Amino acid sequence: MLAIPAKVAGCKELIFCTPPNPTPELLYALGLFDTDIFLVGGAQAIAAMAYGTETIPRVDKIFGPGNSYVTEAKIQVASQGVPIDMPAGPSEVLVIADEGANPAFISADVLSQAEHGEDSQIIMLTNSERILSETQDEIRRQLSSLPRKAIAEKCLANSSLILVSTLTEAIAISNSYAPEHLILAVENPDELAAEVTNAGSVFLGYLTPESVGDYSSGTNHTLPTSGFARNWSGVSTLSFLKTTTYQQLTLTGLQNLAEATITLARAEGLEAHARAVAVRLKEMGV
Amino acid sequence: MLAIPAKVAGCKELIFCTPPNPTPELLYALGLFDTDIFLVGGAQAIAAMAYGTETIPRVDKIFGPGNSYVTEAKIQVASQGVPIDMPAGPSEVLVIADEGANPAFISADVLSQAEHGEDSQIIMLTNSERILSETQDEIRRQLSSLPRKAIAEKCLANSSLILVSTLTEAIAISNSYAPEHLILAVENPDELAAEVTNAGSVFLGYLTPESVGDYSSGTNHTLPTSGFARNWSGVSTLSFLKTTTYQQLTLTGLQNLAEATITLARAEGLEAHARAVAVRLKEMGV
């Protein structure tokens, strides 16, 4: 729920756009915040928030997930200067599992991702042949009773379970792939976590399913996909802040900075910049 | 110099692109950092850094100022997911001056901005008729001996000196304009600064010329222009960082989050998400 970091950041005005016919659960959650809710989705919602309409106010930043039309609209308004969270694509998980991992847990995590949509992507890397083969069997077993079996099955067809030599090799592959969600189903997750350079959100150890990140662990789950964890951050309180720098010189401060400022300004041929310092020193009699 | 926040942020690889025939001063400054320097500027430099060439490596983020071709190239690569600092336009300053301000100082600051380029913009707001009229005279006087007089004169033709009723009115206009540089040439700058909502960098008091922000005060001067201080930040160490979230559950933690996670997952029809929690609880015998 992006309203929480926005409120923590001190945003005074907050609006939500969500497609018509929202679920009661969504309406209940939105009702917890003092915000306006507009029942409009798609590219038209992004345009309305970027430019303003008679009913929907123009906003300063637009965050939140959407389908490929929403993403394209966000990219277009971003090119005109409206900050967005990130160019979002289909969801992904990468699982690294060692010999001590539980195939039933890994399979449940794999299927959590698979039921999201046919274009979700799953990669599992393990250094244990036994875990690889038992996980393959267990996925098939758990899949059979899943309500969204058809979607999960199509997603699994595009996914990969890969045997690696070492966990070090696994983490190198992961860093190069830059997954949205990274599950470290290993005995010493802290050790491996220290080697992570590119990931949206990391789930440590055997008992941390990715689904708690979606619903209850408190980390934001608007995260970079499609390799963008290489150079983008997930949404956080920081996303709703901006910074302004301030400087104030005393007379001594001005004297201390005078030579550097005047020398550099003259080196660039900007005499008025130099004089802005010089005229002050002269008038102050120093 | 953007290399400093980049180094502070811990960036391991840093490259510079600058047009051919750099000044000795620039080469000296760049030589202080352990970086590769490529003598290429314009849109082609942005493309090279975004996609990589045989000689120029592909980078994760592209920051720094440039002309309108560079800006357009940055906007285009940003739409493909390369983070940039901001859509930069011509430089601006807004000066708020009270009765105690010194027309010679204000004029020097105004001319610092004016000599940047013909498309720079300057606004001065004052609640003192005397300051307004004396500043007009003083600008003309200081202009006459300026090497870049021709450029500054054209810039001044597009600039405005405005009489306001109160400093409160001045700050409201400034917040609406969202200047790149804001000079508060007033007796109690802290009081007024507390009312600033939109500005790139703020210069407090009579003795703080904008030119120290360019050269020596230590604040970064890659700042939002064209009203973008409304929703963008200047470049800082933060710009070179990204965030990754981590979570690790104990068995008790998993038990505590189980009901919320399972309830929300089932409300969204995502049974595999619920089972990823349930299967762990079952296997752990709780």
Side-chain angles (χ1 to χ4, degrees):
Chain A
M1 177 59 73
L2 294 181
I4 295 172
K7 289 281 181 188
V8 171
C11 290
K12 292 194 186 83
E13 280 180 70
L14 202 59
I15 72 160
F16 278 99
C17 287
T18 188
N21 304 314
T23 63
E25 294 83 5
L26 180 61
L27 281 182
Y28 172 78
L30 293 178
L32 298 175
F33 303 94
D34 176 30
T35 62
D36 285 323
I37 305 168
F38 298 96
L39 296 183
V40 51
Q44 58 273 32
I46 303 301
M49 292 186 281
Y51 308 119
T53 71
E54 278 179 29
T55 42
I56 300 177
R58 178 184 163 202
V59 302
D60 288 332
K61 296 189 176 188
I62 301 177
F63 293 149
N67 63 20
S68 51
Y69 300 98
V70 168
T71 299
E72 176 58 28
K74 282 168 64 187
I75 288 170
Q76 287 190 24
V77 301
S79 77
Q80 292 160 39
V82 182
I84 61 168
D85 41 359
M86 67 201 70
S91 193
E92 317 140 350
V93 71
L94 188 147
V95 183
I96 297 179
D98 68 7
E99 179 68 26
N102 186 322
F105 301 176
I106 302 170
S107 300
D109 294 336
V110 161
L111 290 169
S112 293
Q113 192 61 38
E115 73 176 350
H116 262 300
E118 295 172 11
D119 55 2
S120 289
Q121 201 176 25
I122 299 148
I123 295 177
M124 178 188 131
L125 306 170
T126 179
N127 58 351
S128 158
E129 268 188 68
R130 182 185 63 80
I131 293 290
L132 185 78
S133 120
E134 287 182 20
T135 302
Q136 280 172 320
D137 296 344
E138 180 69 19
I139 288 175
R140 267 192 294 274
R141 206 188 58 73
Q142 291 188 15
L143 177 66
S144 62
S145 68
L146 214 58
R148 292 166 69 93
K149 182 182 163 183
I151 290 171
E153 223 159 12
K154 283 191 187 151
C155 171
L156 287 170
N158 299 318
S159 298
S160 308
L161 278 58
I162 302 169
L163 188 68
V164 293
S165 316
T166 62
L167 295 179
T168 306
E169 188 188 352
I171 211 80
I173 294 170
S174 176
N175 284 336
S176 155
Y177 179 77
E180 180 190 16
H181 303 105
L182 170 61
I183 299 178
L184 299 180
V186 299
E187 204 184 339
N188 295 311
D190 289 352
E191 207 171 280
L192 220 52
E195 303 299 316
V196 172
T197 54
N198 301 323
S201 193
V202 185
F203 300 81
L204 302 165
Y206 302 134
L207 293 179
T208 315
E210 188 277 321
S211 56
V212 301
D214 290 349
Y215 294 119
S216 59
S217 68
T219 55
N220 205 298
H221 81 292
T222 303
L223 296 169
T225 55
S226 312
F228 285 124
R230 195 161 143 262
N231 43 7
W232 289 76
S233 303
V235 173
S236 73
T237 302
L238 268 179
S239 314
F240 294 92
L241 296 171
K242 61 172 182 174
T243 57
T244 302
T245 50
Y246 294 83
Q247 54 249 285
Q248 178 166 17
L249 299 189
T250 59
L251 182 56
T252 308
L254 184 65
Q255 284 177 278
N256 289 341
L257 295 184
E259 192 187 344
T261 310
I262 291 171
T263 306
L264 287 167
R266 289 197 170 136
E268 286 196 320
L270 295 174
E271 178 62 21
H273 283 64
R275 291 189 189 171
V277 174
V279 69
R280 283 173 165 87
L281 291 180
K282 193 181 159 206
E283 287 267 332
M284 302 302 291
V286 294
Chain B
M1 177 59 71
L2 294 180
I4 295 173
K7 288 281 180 186
V8 171
C11 290
K12 291 196 186 82
E13 280 180 70
L14 201 58
I15 72 160
F16 279 98
C17 287
T18 189
N21 305 316
T23 62
E25 293 84 5
L26 180 61
L27 281 182
Y28 172 79
L30 293 177
L32 298 175
F33 302 95
D34 177 30
T35 62
D36 284 324
I37 304 168
F38 298 97
L39 296 183
V40 51
Q44 59 273 31
I46 304 300
M49 290 187 280
Y51 308 120
T53 71
E54 278 179 30
T55 42
I56 300 177
R58 179 184 161 201
V59 302
D60 288 333
K61 298 190 176 186
I62 300 176
F63 294 148
N67 63 18
S68 51
Y69 299 98
V70 168
T71 299
E72 176 57 28
K74 282 168 64 186
I75 289 170
Q76 288 191 23
V77 301
S79 76
Q80 292 162 38
V82 182
I84 61 168
D85 42 359
M86 67 201 70
S91 193
E92 316 140 351
V93 72
L94 188 147
V95 183
I96 297 179
D98 67 7
E99 179 67 25
N102 186 323
F105 300 177
I106 303 170
S107 300
D109 293 337
V110 161
L111 290 169
S112 292
Q113 192 62 38
E115 73 175 350
H116 261 301
E118 295 171 14
D119 55 1
S120 290
Q121 202 175 22
I122 299 148
I123 295 180
M124 177 188 133
L125 305 170
T126 180
N127 58 351
S128 159
E129 269 189 66
R130 182 184 63 81
I131 294 290
L132 186 78
S133 119
E134 288 182 19
T135 303
Q136 280 173 320
D137 295 343
E138 179 69 19
I139 288 175
R140 265 192 295 274
R141 206 186 60 74
Q142 292 189 14
L143 178 65
S144 63
S145 68
L146 216 59
R148 290 164 71 93
K149 182 182 164 184
I151 290 170
E153 222 158 14
K154 284 192 186 150
C155 171
L156 288 170
N158 298 319
S159 298
S160 308
L161 277 59
I162 302 171
L163 188 67
V164 293
S165 316
T166 61
L167 294 179
T168 307
E169 189 189 349
I171 211 81
I173 293 170
S174 177
N175 283 336
S176 155
Y177 178 78
E180 181 191 17
H181 304 105
L182 170 60
I183 299 179
L184 299 180
V186 298
E187 202 184 340
N188 294 311
D190 288 353
E191 210 172 275
L192 220 53
E195 304 300 318
V196 173
T197 55
N198 300 323
S201 193
V202 185
F203 300 80
L204 301 165
Y206 302 133
L207 293 179
T208 316
E210 189 276 321
S211 57
V212 300
D214 291 351
Y215 295 119
S216 59
S217 69
T219 57
N220 205 297
H221 81 290
T222 303
L223 297 168
T225 55
S226 314
F228 284 124
R230 192 160 146 262
N231 44 7
W232 289 77
S233 304
V235 172
S236 72
T237 303
L238 269 178
S239 314
F240 294 92
L241 295 171
K242 62 173 183 174
T243 57
T244 302
T245 50
Y246 294 82
Q247 54 249 284
Q248 178 165 20
L249 300 188
T250 59
L251 183 56
T252 308
L254 185 64
Q255 285 176 281
N256 290 341
L257 294 183
E259 193 187 343
T261 310
I262 291 171
T263 305
L264 287 166
R266 288 193 173 137
E268 287 196 318
L270 296 174
E271 178 62 21
H273 282 64
R275 290 188 190 171
V277 174
V279 70
R280 282 173 166 88
L281 291 179
K282 193 179 158 209
E283 289 266 335
M284 301 302 290
V286 293

